[in-house]
């Protein structure tokens, strides 16, 4: 079962996985739908200016995310 259910939860997980403004997080995935959902959520967070993704690696059972948290006020 996927722990990240929505964009808000993904952002919280990224903030918890960050050091300073850099983050690195490995998210387990169970299905291809999980993979697609994670990628869509990451794209939304990028388009909203909340993160800058440097790396997204699709592994057999997980997705690895690495990037920068943006703290600029909206």
């Amino acid at each position: 079962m996927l722990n990240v259910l929505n964009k808000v939860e993904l952002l919280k997980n990224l903030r918890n996985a960050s050091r300073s403004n850099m983050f690195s997080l490995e998210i387990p995935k169970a299905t291809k739908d999980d993979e697609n959902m994670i990628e869509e959520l990451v794209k939304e967070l990028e388009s909203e200016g909340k993160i800058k993704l440097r790396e997204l690696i699709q592994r057999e059972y997980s997705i690895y995310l690495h990037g920068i948290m943006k703290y600029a006020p909206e």
Side-chain angles (χ1 to χ4, degrees), residues 3 5 9 16 24 32 40-41 47 60 67 73:
N3 291 333
L5 300 176
E9 288 299 316
N16 289 336
S24 132
K32 185 71 173 167
E40 286 301 315
L41 293 173
S47 70
E60 189 173 350

Side-chain angles (χ1 to χ4, degrees), residues 22-25 52-56 64-68:
M22 300 292 290
F23 66 84
S24 132
L25 179 67
K52 171 69 174 148
L53 191 65
R54 289 191 165 182
E55 190 173 24
L56 185 147
Y64 174 77
L65 304 172
H66 175 74
I68 301 169

Side-chain angles (χ1 to χ4, degrees), residues 8-71:
V8 173
E9 288 299 316
L10 177 58
L11 189 57
K12 284 181 189 177
N13 287 341
L14 292 174
R15 284 191 178 133
N16 289 336
S18 68
R19 295 189 82 183
S20 180
N21 66 334
M22 300 292 290
F23 66 84
S24 132
L25 179 67
E26 190 160 355
I27 303 171
K29 64 177 182 177
T31 66
K32 185 71 173 167
D33 288 338
D34 291 344
E35 180 180 321
N36 294 336
M37 183 179 68
I38 292 168
E39 288 179 19
E40 286 301 315
L41 293 173
V42 168
K43 286 178 187 176
E44 285 181 36
L45 290 172
E46 273 193 300
S47 70
E48 293 173 2
K50 297 189 186 297
I51 65 170
K52 171 69 174 148
L53 191 65
R54 289 191 165 182
E55 190 173 24
L56 185 147
I57 300 173
Q58 297 175 1
R59 297 181 175 155
E60 189 173 350
Y61 297 107
S62 66
I63 294 181
Y64 174 77
L65 304 172
H66 175 74
I68 301 169
M69 298 293 298
K70 294 188 173 181
Y71 294 110

